[in-house]
Amino acid sequence: DTQATADNGWQSLADWYAAAGAYAHAADAYARAYESERDPSLAYAAAYAAESAGDVYSAVTYYSEYLVESSGS
């Protein structure tokens, strides 16, 4: 499935950016993966990376998304 491969590609890229300490890029890549897949773990990863990059607004947005998605609401 091409879409699943693209989604996994964003997550793999995000993981690489996060490991390299490029948290702003990681947050963007996790956000793109989350937009496609809506997996709560991706919202959390986007939030954590954004927070690590100092982007409080995006961090709060994705932490909120994580709470909504993980609660099933």
Side-chain angles (χ1 to χ4, degrees):
D1 177 77
T2 306
Q3 185 63 36
T5 303
D7 295 343
N8 291 340
W10 282 116
Q11 185 173 358
S12 295
L13 182 61
D15 291 342
W16 186 87
Y17 278 135
Y23 296 112
H25 292 300
D28 183 53
Y30 282 127
R32 289 174 184 260
Y34 174 68
E35 289 170 7
S36 298
E37 197 170 322
R38 303 305 283 190
D39 178 345
S41 68
L42 293 171
Y44 185 86
Y48 185 80
E51 181 181 7
S52 296
D55 183 353
V56 176
Y57 179 81
S58 292
V60 169
T61 299
Y62 282 108
Y63 280 133
S64 296
E65 289 288 326
Y66 167 75
L67 292 173
V68 169
E69 292 287 331
S70 64
S71 70
S73 298

